[in-house]
């Protein structure tokens, strides 16, 4: 039997075979220096190491002095060059590599001494040295951290400069880069530092390219307009689009600074005429419409034309009677629709960027949760601001987008009369109202100009009048060539008649309303400000704020036209500034039911008065004709002649008496008697 171990007297076992073979971990010298940088008392420098440190510090100071001298010399050279006015493309002087090679040869003597003591311990600065003197201890931007004395040499100062010699940078720029590396790039990796340098190079190249472009534009020769023969040749041949586009740019450049860049002997009208013809050929407009648009947008004409070439974004409106916008957006996103809110100005609109599903066939659309509607169509309803339990007339309501929005704001209370002159288009109103669950709307189709004879007394009236469509050219490109002056005047005449009938339908004595909102999808002043100005003169209405926070103010002065100063309260919306269809919105307040010029309060009364005035004029003309015939007749009675003679004598005596009376006032006292006696002597 073996020996038994005493459990009470336990002996600790020693280290195993593997642990005896392992050596204690050795910390690298670089980490030792980093940890023991503050504890100067642990290691002391030898006398040889101290002398080497002093030499290096002296060399560093000498280099700094040399750099300062170079800077001063360069500043002097720059001042001399500025006085001599050098060329535009003069480059900064580049430091030659020979000078740097000489410096490296001088430093090689010290490196030989360092190599002798390479087996010794690493050097460390003595107490009392400043941070500037410690700069030589930092590794270069392109060399990794090393344990040998090579990292402590002064050669690292010239690494950055040597790499940039091929690029053509000056010494000042090299010094700035070195300073930035020393100050802020200590914690960065070498790859990050190189990336920073590449970014700086790209920025400098961009600046140089921009400067070259500017100088090329400034030095460009003056553009000459094509002569009459050249214009005839171009008209005979098919248009060259690239040449027309280039000419548009050049003419726009000349018009930006006309005094300096114009061709001598050419007026501004010549350039504008050429620009208009080029715009017509490039964008396919007729001359009349292009002239109108150029008068509206003299500075931003190209932006407006470019915006008309791009379709407006698809927008939808949430039906708040059935859902909320947040829930609808989540449901459509789940179906693969990319959308966002239309803007801060609307709480129910959504703008659709991309969709994988047809928006007019989703279950949400069929359930009436939303309707496809342009963003500009929200604005008239927002300006109308309908209240609950009101009677509202939508005079031109097809296809029903505005009507359904009004019903949603009224929460299916009150009554809405949705009218449209076209019976076929009125069917779309019925379909949309049924789909969206609206129960307070009555659909009818009557001519809006006759509607006051059918029904009156509405609290609010909305008139989205039919127009030329110059604000929705992106939807209908035929407008570019089809519209002429007759069409514009015809539309303006119809709009004036509709607006007067809308005002007559509204009740000025309404407790909550008495408002009329007029809107068009046109940008021409003849259909907008001109129609409102006509209504202000013909009816007892005034302009009030629309309540819309954005949009441009309406025109008060436009060319030869001068409109009412309150026309600033109207709002204009453009496709190139608001990214929606061109639109005009005006809000009127009716303050009296009486029609100016007549005592009647209805359109029928106005018509009766006008007919009576016409009959009175006709009767008066007949009477004058009869009196003339009586005077010219040769068979007049002698009694009439005697009466005429008597009346003429009486008239003459009266005239003489009046003359004498007036003369008495002119003469001084005593002079009138002398004047009278002189007249008698003459007789």
């Amino acid at each position: 039997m073996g020996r038994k171990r005493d459990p009470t007297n336990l002996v600790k076992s020693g280290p195993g075979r593997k642990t005896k073979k392992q050596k204690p971990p050795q910390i690298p010298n670089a980490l030792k220096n980093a940890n023991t940088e503050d504890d100067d008392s642990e290691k002391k420098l030898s006398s040889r190491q101290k002398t080497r440190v002093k030499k290096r510090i002296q060399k560093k100071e000498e280099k700094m002095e040399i750099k300062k001298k170079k800077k001063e010399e360069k500043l002097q050279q720059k001042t001399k060059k500025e006085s001599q006015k050098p060329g535009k493309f003069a480059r900064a002087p580049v430091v030659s590599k020979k000078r740097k090679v000489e410096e490296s040869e001088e430093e090689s003597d010290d490196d030989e001494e360092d190599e002798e003591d390479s087996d010794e311990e690493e050097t460390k600065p003595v107490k009392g040295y400043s941070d500037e003197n410690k700069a030589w201890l930092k590794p270069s931007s392109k060399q990794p951290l090393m344990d040998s004395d090579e990292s402590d040499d002064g050669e690292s100062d010239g690494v950055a400069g040597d790499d940039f010699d091929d690029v053509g940078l000056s010494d000042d720029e090299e010094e700035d880069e070195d300073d930035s590396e020393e100050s802020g790039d200590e914690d960065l990796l070498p790859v990050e530092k190189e990336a920073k340098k590449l970014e700086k190079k790209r920025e400098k190249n961009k600046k140089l390219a921009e400067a070259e472009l500017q100088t090329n534009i400034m030095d460009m020769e003056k553009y000459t307009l094509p002569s009459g023969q050249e214009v005839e040749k171009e008209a005979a041949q098919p248009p060259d689009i690239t040449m027309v586009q280039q000419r548009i740019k050049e003419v726009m450049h000349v018009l930006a600074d006309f005094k300096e860049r114009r061709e001598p002997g050419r007026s501004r009208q010549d350039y504008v005429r050429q620009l208009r013809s080029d715009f017509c050929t490039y964008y396919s407009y007729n001359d009349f419409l292009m002239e109108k648009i150029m008068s509206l947008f003299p500075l931003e004409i190209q932006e407006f034309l470019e915006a008309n070439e791009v379709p407006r974004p698809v927008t939808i409106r949430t039906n708040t009677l059935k859902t909320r916008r947040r829930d609808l957006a989540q449901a459509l996103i789940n179906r693969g629709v990319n959308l966002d809110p239309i803007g801060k100005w609307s709480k129910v609109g959504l703008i659709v960027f991309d969709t994988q599903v047809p928006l007019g066939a989703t279950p949400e659309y069929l359930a009436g949760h939303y309707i496809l509607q342009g963003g500009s169509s929200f604005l008239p309803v927002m300006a109308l601001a309908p209240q609950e339990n009101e009677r509202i007339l939508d005079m031109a309501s097809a296809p029903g987008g505005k009507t359904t929005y009004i019903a949603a704001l009224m929460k299916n209370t009150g009554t809405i009369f949705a009218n449209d002159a076209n019976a076929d288009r009125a069917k779309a109103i019925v379909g949309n109202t049924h789909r969206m669950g609206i129960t307070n709307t009555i659909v009818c189709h009557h001519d809006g100009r006759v509607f006051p004879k059918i029904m009156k007394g509405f609290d609010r009236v909305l008139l989205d009048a039919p127009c030329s469509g110059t604000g929705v050219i992106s939807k209908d490109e035929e407008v570019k060539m089809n519209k002429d002056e007759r069409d514009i005047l015809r539309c303006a005449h119809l709009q004036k008649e509709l607006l007067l009938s809308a005002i007559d339908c509204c009740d000025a004595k309404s407790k909550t309303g008495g408002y009329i909102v007029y809107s068009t999808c046109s940008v021409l002043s003849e259909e907008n400000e001109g129609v409102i100005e006509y209504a202000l003169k013909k009816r007892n209405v005034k302009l009030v704020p629309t309540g819309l926070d954005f949009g441009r103010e309406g025109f008060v002065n436009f060319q030869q036209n001068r409109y009412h100063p309150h026309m600033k309260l109207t709002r204009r919306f453009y496709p190139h500034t608001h990214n929606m269809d061109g639109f005009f919105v005006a809000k009127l307040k009716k303050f009296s039911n009486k029609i100016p010029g007549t005592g009647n309060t209805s359109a029928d009364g106005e018509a009766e008065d006008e007919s009576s005035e016409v009959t009175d004029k006709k009767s008066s003309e007949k009477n004058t004709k009869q009196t003339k015939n009586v005077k010219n007749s040769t068979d007049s009675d002698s009694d009439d002649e005697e009466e005429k003679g008597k009346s003429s004598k009486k008239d003459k005596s009266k005239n003489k008496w009046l003359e004498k009376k007036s003369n008495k006032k002119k003469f001084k006292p005593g002079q009138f008697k002398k004047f009278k006696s002189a007249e008698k002597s003459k007789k």
Side-chain angles (χ1 to χ4, degrees):
M1 293 182 69
R3 293 181 181 177
K4 290 184 179 180
R5 192 174 182 180
D6 188 5
T8 57
N9 189 12
L10 294 174
V11 181
K12 289 183 180 181
S13 59
R17 195 181 298 171
K18 289 183 180 179
T19 55
K20 287 178 183 177
K21 289 181 181 179
Q22 289 178 354
K23 295 180 181 179
Q26 293 181 355
I27 300 169
N29 293 329
L31 295 175
K32 281 182 181 178
N33 291 337
N35 294 328
T36 60
E37 211 170 64
D38 298 331
D39 301 327
D40 295 333
S41 59
E42 291 181 3
K43 284 189 177 182
K44 292 182 180 180
L45 296 175
S46 63
S47 60
R48 185 159 187 132
Q49 288 174 344
K50 286 178 183 178
T51 53
R52 285 163 60 192
V53 168
K54 287 178 183 178
K55 279 183 183 180
R56 287 169 189 162
I57 292 167
Q58 286 175 1
K59 285 181 182 178
K60 188 71 177 177
E61 289 175 354
E62 288 174 1
K63 281 186 182 180
M64 295 292 287
E65 288 176 0
I66 290 165
K67 286 181 181 179
K68 286 180 182 178
K69 287 179 182 178
K70 285 180 183 177
K71 282 185 180 180
E72 291 174 357
E73 288 175 1
K74 283 178 183 176
L75 287 170
Q76 291 175 0
Q77 288 176 1
K78 283 181 183 178
T79 52
K80 287 179 183 178
K81 285 181 181 179
E82 286 175 0
S83 61
Q84 293 173 0
K85 294 183 179 179
K88 292 181 181 177
F89 298 102
R91 298 181 66 182
V94 182
V95 179
S96 63
K97 292 185 177 180
K98 292 180 181 179
R99 199 179 295 172
K100 293 182 180 177
V101 170
E102 290 173 0
E103 290 176 3
S104 62
E105 286 176 357
E106 290 175 2
E107 291 172 0
S108 62
D109 299 333
D110 296 327
D111 294 335
E112 290 175 359
E113 294 177 2
D114 296 338
E115 286 173 1
E116 293 175 0
D117 301 326
S118 59
D119 297 329
E120 294 180 3
E121 294 178 354
E122 285 200 329
T123 59
K124 196 172 183 184
V126 186
K127 286 184 181 180
Y129 288 109
S130 61
D131 293 331
E132 294 179 358
N133 296 331
K134 287 182 183 179
W136 59 271
L137 289 170
K138 294 174 184 174
S140 64
S141 60
K142 295 198 174 184
Q143 293 176 351
L145 290 168
M146 293 184 292
D147 296 333
S148 63
D149 291 332
E150 291 176 4
S151 63
D152 298 333
D153 294 336
E155 294 176 358
S156 61
D157 298 328
V159 172
D162 292 335
D163 292 334
F164 285 104
D165 279 336
D166 298 331
V167 180
L169 298 176
S170 62
D171 290 338
D172 296 335
E173 292 171 341
E174 290 174 9
E175 288 167 10
D176 295 337
E177 288 179 357
D178 293 336
D179 295 337
S180 65
E181 286 174 4
E182 288 174 3
S183 59
D185 298 346
E186 290 177 2
D187 300 331
L188 297 176
L189 294 170
V191 178
E192 293 175 340
K193 291 175 184 176
E194 287 177 3
K196 274 194 171 184
K197 289 176 184 176
L198 286 172
E199 286 179 2
K200 287 178 183 178
K201 283 183 189 177
R202 286 174 187 169
E203 288 176 0
K204 286 172 186 174
N205 290 332
K206 279 184 183 178
K207 288 178 182 177
L208 289 170
E210 288 175 1
E212 286 175 3
L213 284 172
Q214 288 175 358
T215 50
N216 289 335
I217 290 167
M218 292 296 290
D219 297 336
M220 190 177 68
E221 293 181 0
K222 290 184 178 179
Y223 174 70
T224 56
L225 287 172
S227 61
Q229 295 178 355
E230 292 176 356
V231 172
E232 289 177 0
K233 285 181 182 178
E234 287 181 11
Q237 298 174 357
D240 186 2
I241 299 299
T242 55
M243 187 183 71
V244 171
Q245 187 180 12
Q246 184 63 28
R247 192 161 57 200
I248 286 169
K249 289 180 181 178
E250 288 170 349
V251 173
M252 294 281 281
H253 177 68
V254 172
L255 290 172
D257 191 358
F258 185 71
K259 288 183 180 179
E260 295 182 359
R261 298 171 187 168
R262 74 187 183 95
E263 182 185 353
R266 293 280 191 170
S267 63
R268 184 182 286 273
Q269 291 179 355
D270 297 334
Y271 284 92
V272 172
R273 199 179 297 114
Q274 183 63 47
L275 184 64
R276 186 168 68 242
S277 65
D278 289 339
F279 276 144
C280 289
T281 55
Y282 189 74
Y283 293 103
S284 303
Y285 283 79
N286 61 12
D287 192 60
F288 167 75
L289 191 59
M290 182 56 67
E291 187 178 357
K292 288 284 184 186
I293 293 170
M294 286 182 76
S295 62
L296 279 167
F297 308 103
L299 300 176
E300 46 193 355
I301 173 67
Q302 201 161 9
E303 288 85 351
F304 178 78
L305 296 174
E306 287 291 340
N308 287 335
E309 299 300 311
V310 182
R312 302 276 76 75
V314 179
T315 53
I316 60 175
R317 180 180 57 80
T318 310
N319 183 15
T320 53
L321 295 173
K322 290 191 172 183
T323 185
R324 294 190 305 168
R325 185 169 70 170
R326 186 184 300 171
D327 299 336
L328 175 65
Q330 190 61 47
L332 292 176
I333 287 166
N334 293 337
R335 295 190 185 278
V337 181
N338 184 14
L339 48 80
D340 263 337
I342 195 170
K344 294 181 180 179
W345 54 272
S346 176
K347 296 181 180 179
V348 293
L350 290 167
I351 184 169
V352 179
F353 300 109
D354 186 22
T355 177
Q356 299 176 2
V357 184
L359 291 173
T362 59
E364 287 80 14
Y365 178 82
L366 298 172
H369 290 185
Y370 67 90
I371 185 172
L372 290 163
Q373 188 176 1
S376 55
S377 298
F378 297 5
L379 304 172
V381 181
M382 292 170 68
L384 187 67
Q387 305 297 319
E388 296 180 19
N389 300 314
E390 284 186 340
R391 290 181 74 225
I392 292 176
L393 171 64
D394 190 356
M395 191 169 276
S397 58
K402 298 179 186 66
T403 305
T404 52
Y405 193 10
I406 293 167
L409 292 173
M410 293 173 68
K411 298 178 182 177
N412 259 342
T413 61
T415 52
I416 302 170
F417 288 84
N419 177 63
D420 198 88
N422 192 347
D424 294 330
R425 295 191 71 195
K427 293 177 183 177
I429 306 170
V430 177
N432 282 319
T433 50
H434 279 300
R435 184 173 59 83
M436 302 188 79
I438 290 162
T439 57
N440 65 341
T441 302
I442 299 166
V443 181
C444 55
H445 58 91
H446 296 288
D447 188 356
R449 295 172 288 184
V450 192
F451 209 87
K453 296 179 182 178
I454 299 167
M455 194 176 296
K456 293 181 184 179
F458 292 98
D459 295 316
R460 297 169 197 260
V461 180
L462 174 62
L463 175 61
D464 185 21
C467 61
S468 60
T470 53
V472 289
I473 295 173
S474 59
K475 292 180 181 177
D476 185 12
E477 292 188 354
E478 292 181 359
V479 176
K480 295 178 179 180
M481 298 300 294
N482 293 345
K483 300 299 176 184
D484 57 359
E485 192 172 3
R486 280 187 179 182
D487 295 327
I488 304 301
L489 294 174
R490 196 182 296 115
C491 287
H493 181 70
L494 177 63
Q495 289 158 0
K496 289 173 184 177
E497 290 180 332
L498 288 171
L499 183 56
L500 291 183
S501 64
I503 293 167
D504 293 334
C505 288
C506 187
D507 185 13
K509 296 179 181 179
S510 172
K511 294 180 180 178
T512 57
Y515 294 102
I516 304 100
V517 171
Y518 173 79
S519 64
T520 62
C521 53
S522 174
V523 295
L524 302 180
S525 63
E526 290 87 351
E527 300 180 74
N528 298 328
E529 286 86 358
V531 176
I532 298 295
E533 185 73 17
Y534 179 80
L536 292 173
K537 291 176 181 176
K538 293 292 181 181
R539 294 290 184 272
N540 291 320
V541 290
K542 62 180 180 179
L543 282 164
V544 294
T546 56
L548 302 171
D549 298 334
F550 66 108
R552 294 190 185 179
E553 295 178 351
F555 296 132
V556 177
N557 301 327
F558 181 71
Q559 292 182 340
Q560 72 275 9
N561 298 318
R562 300 292 177 269
Y563 299 115
H564 197 277
H566 288 170
M567 207 66 72
K568 290 181 179 179
L569 298 174
T570 62
R571 285 288 174 269
R572 281 176 160 270
F573 303 92
Y574 298 128
H576 63 285
T577 54
H578 306 101
N579 198 17
M580 59 175 65
D581 295 329
F583 225 72
F584 174 82
V585 180
K587 190 174 183 179
L588 297 165
K589 168 71 174 172
K590 189 175 181 181
F591 55 86
S592 175
N593 288 325
K594 291 182 179 180
I595 296 169
T598 60
N600 297 317
T601 60
S602 64
D604 300 336
E606 186 183 11
E608 290 172 4
D609 290 341
E610 287 176 357
S611 62
S612 64
E613 286 176 4
V614 170
T615 53
D616 292 338
K617 285 180 182 178
K618 288 180 180 178
S619 61
S620 63
E621 286 175 1
K622 286 180 182 179
N623 292 329
T624 53
K625 285 180 182 178
Q626 288 175 2
T627 52
K628 284 180 182 178
N629 291 328
V630 169
K631 286 179 183 177
N632 294 327
S633 63
T634 56
D635 299 331
S636 60
D637 298 331
S638 61
D639 297 335
D640 296 334
E641 289 178 357
E642 289 177 0
E643 287 177 0
K644 285 179 184 177
K646 288 178 182 178
S647 63
S648 63
K649 286 179 182 178
K650 286 180 181 179
D651 293 336
K652 287 179 182 178
S653 61
K654 281 182 181 179
N655 291 332
K656 284 182 180 180
W657 181 77
L658 290 169
E659 286 177 2
K660 287 178 182 178
K661 199 169 186 181
S662 62
N663 288 331
K664 279 184 181 179
K665 293 179 181 178
K666 291 178 183 178
F667 291 113
K668 291 181 180 179
Q671 286 183 355
F672 182 68
K673 290 180 180 179
K674 292 179 183 179
F675 176 73
K676 203 173 182 183
S677 61
E679 281 186 349
K680 284 179 182 179
S681 63
K682 284 179 184 179
K683 288 178 182 179

